[in-house]
Amino acid sequence: MNSVFKALADPTRRKVLELLRQRPMTAGELSDHFPVSRPTMSAHFAVLREADLIEANKIGTSITYQLKLSVLEDALLGFTQLFGIGAAERTPAGATGSPKPTREGADE
Amino acid sequence: MNSVFKALADPTRRKVLELLRQRPMTAGELSDHFPVSRPTMSAHFAVLREADLIEANKIGTSITYQLKLSVLEDALLGFTQLFGIGAAERTPAGATGSPKPTREGADE
DNA sequence: ACGATATTTAGATATTTGGCTAAATATCGA
DNA sequence: TCGATATTTAGCCAAATATCTAAATATCGT
C-alpha cells in the first residue's frame, strides 16, 4: 500500500496508469507518449509492477502492460474511506475491485 | 495536485493526516506520535502545508495544524473518478469540497 | 528583561530517485 | 544462423529527500 502511493507520486507513472485505463498497451506504445528514453520508462514500469498496479504479458517480442484496477481501487478507496471522503455505500457499476466493507473508525 | 500525491507518498505524512482527521493538533502533539526529531517533523509539516493539505494556526507559543479535508478530497476524488472508481454520483453528506462535475473521458 | 517552552531554520550527510547511454537478452523472420 | 526489433539490465550522475544536531525565533510567565 505504501508502494502504491510511492508509485503514484510520479506524474509520468500516473499518466501511464491513465493510458492503461483505456486499453492494455505495449511498453513501446506507452513510451511513445513520453519524452523520456525507453530505459527510463522501463524503470517506471518496474515501479508500477512492484506496486502491483500493472501486469506484464509477454507476446512474442513485445510486452503488453495491463492496468490492475482492483489494486488501485483498493488502495485509493481504502485511504479515501479512512477520511470519510466520498466513495463507499454503493459498489459503482463496472467496478472490478473487491467489495470491502465500509470501515468507519480505523486509526492505525 | 502533483504536490498532493508527493505529500501522500510518505507514510509519516499520511499518518499525520489521519491523526488530524480527528481533531486539530499542535506540532508537538503530532510529533509525539512519531519516532523522529522535531525538525524532521517540521519538514514534513512544511511539505503538507505546501500541498495545501494542512493549515497552520499559531496560538501563543504553539502552532495548531488542521486538516484541509476539501483539498485532500478534491485530489483523491478527482483522480479516483478519472478511473471510474467508486465515488462520484452523490456528494457525500458533510462533504466540504467542490461539486466538480463528473468528467468522463479526460486524457490529457 | 530573563528563563523556559514550542517550533522552525541552517547546515551537514546518506539514501533514493529519475534520468541518460551503452550493452545484454529475447524473439521474430528470412 | 543472422540481422532487425523490443525491452530490460548495468553503470553512471545530478537532484531531491529524509534525517540529524545545533542554533535561531517567538512567546509566555514572572
Side-chain angles (χ1 to χ4, degrees), chain A residues 79 82-83 106-107, chain B residues 14-22:
Chain A
F79 189 71
L82 201 54
F83 287 85
D107 235 23
Chain B
R14 285 200 303 277
K15 183 108 104 191
V16 167
L17 295 180
E18 288 178 39
L19 287 169
L20 252 24
R21 166 183 63 122
Q22 313 185 334

Side-chain angles (χ1 to χ4, degrees), chain B residues 20 23-25 53-57 64-69:
Chain B
L20 252 24
R23 63 179 172 286
M25 291 172 87
L53 284 168
I54 61 176
E55 194 185 308
N57 207 303
T64 297
Y65 283 111
Q66 179 164 8
L67 177 62
K68 294 182 76 170
L69 226 211

Side-chain angles (χ1 to χ4, degrees), chain B residues 1-2 5 7 10 12 15 18 20 30-31 33 38 42 48-49 53 69 74 80 84-85 89-90 93 96 99 101 103:
Chain B
M1 198 247 190
N2 186 49
F5 278 103
D10 185 273
T12 295
K15 183 108 104 191
E18 288 178 39
L20 252 24
L30 285 167
S31 293
H33 288 81
R38 300 307 171 96
S42 184
L48 291 170
R49 248 186 284 117
L53 284 168
L69 226 211
D74 281 355
T80 293
I85 295 175
E89 298 322 307
R90 19 128 109 274
T96 323
R103 48 208 298 272

Side-chain angles (χ1 to χ4, degrees), chain A residues 3 5 8 13 24 37 39-40 43 47-48 50-51 58 62-63 67 73 78 82 90-91 96-97 99:
Chain A
S3 59
F5 278 102
L8 254 26
R13 289 193 291 262
S37 71
T40 294
V47 173
L48 291 171
E50 269 156 50
K58 184 168 215 164
S62 65
I63 294 177
L67 176 63
E73 184 169 311
L82 201 54
R90 20 131 103 274
T91 314
T96 321

Side-chain angles (χ1 to χ4, degrees), chain B residues 26-38:
Chain B
T26 66
E29 207 172 351
L30 285 167
S31 293
D32 287 341
H33 288 81
F34 302 88
V36 298
S37 71
R38 300 307 171 96

Side-chain angles (χ1 to χ4, degrees), chain B residues 6 10 13 36-37 39-40 44 58 60-61:
Chain B
K6 284 283 192 71
D10 185 273
R13 289 193 292 262
V36 298
S37 71
T40 295
H44 283 308
K58 183 168 217 166
T61 178

Side-chain angles (χ1 to χ4, degrees), chain A residues 1 70-71 73-79 81 88-89 91 97-103:
Chain A
M1 196 248 190
S70 65
V71 175
E73 184 169 311
D74 281 354
L76 244 33
L77 242 55
F79 189 71
Q81 288 172 16
E89 299 321 309
T91 314
S98 50
K100 190 169 257 187
T102 314
R103 49 207 297 274

